[in-house]
Amino acid sequence: MPVYWVNTFTSIRDERRLHDYAELAGPAMLAAGGRFLARGEPLAVLEGEAALRTTVIEFPDLESAVGAYRSDDYQAALLVLGDAASREIRIVDGVPEG
């Protein structure tokens, strides 16, 4: 069953470094079997205060998602990001059909 990587930024301090991170992180996610389902600024905030960039990536399984995070390519992207942003990353199960 697929799992979903949900990345929510809680603060962004350097847009340029965030852009550079995304240029590296995207291909790292794809190489690990990820498929981008949603990304960008919220269209509406119905609860809470954060109105920053959110990304949802589908992976075939938990091992693939964790492997993407631990991959050399993604770790290189994190070095570029550094302290330019704060975020929360969760991996959640998909819901069975039916």
Side-chain angles (χ1 to χ4, degrees):
M1 179 173 353
V3 300
Y4 298 88
W5 167 308
V6 182
N7 178 21
T8 304
F9 284 88
T10 57
S11 70
I12 298 171
R13 292 176 284 283
D14 186 329
E15 290 283 347
R16 180 66 195 162
R17 283 172 44 208
L18 174 59
H19 174 269
D20 294 345
Y21 153 82
E23 292 289 313
L24 297 172
M29 297 293 106
L30 295 173
R35 181 171 70 105
F36 285 87
L37 299 179
R39 64 177 158 208
E41 303 294 322
L43 299 176
V45 177
L46 303 177
E47 293 187 17
E49 299 177 16
L52 300 175
R53 182 177 179 88
T54 299
T55 303
V56 179
I57 308 167
E58 180 183 66
F59 284 92
D61 51 45
L62 177 60
E63 293 75 21
S64 298
V66 172
Y69 186 87
R70 293 180 177 159
S71 72
D72 291 343
D73 289 343
Y74 189 71
Q75 291 300 307
L78 288 178
L79 287 175
V80 169
L81 181 63
D83 65 354
S86 298
R87 64 218 177 107
E88 296 185 0
I89 297 175
R90 306 281 188 269
I91 299 172
V92 296
D93 258 333
V95 177
E97 290 187 34

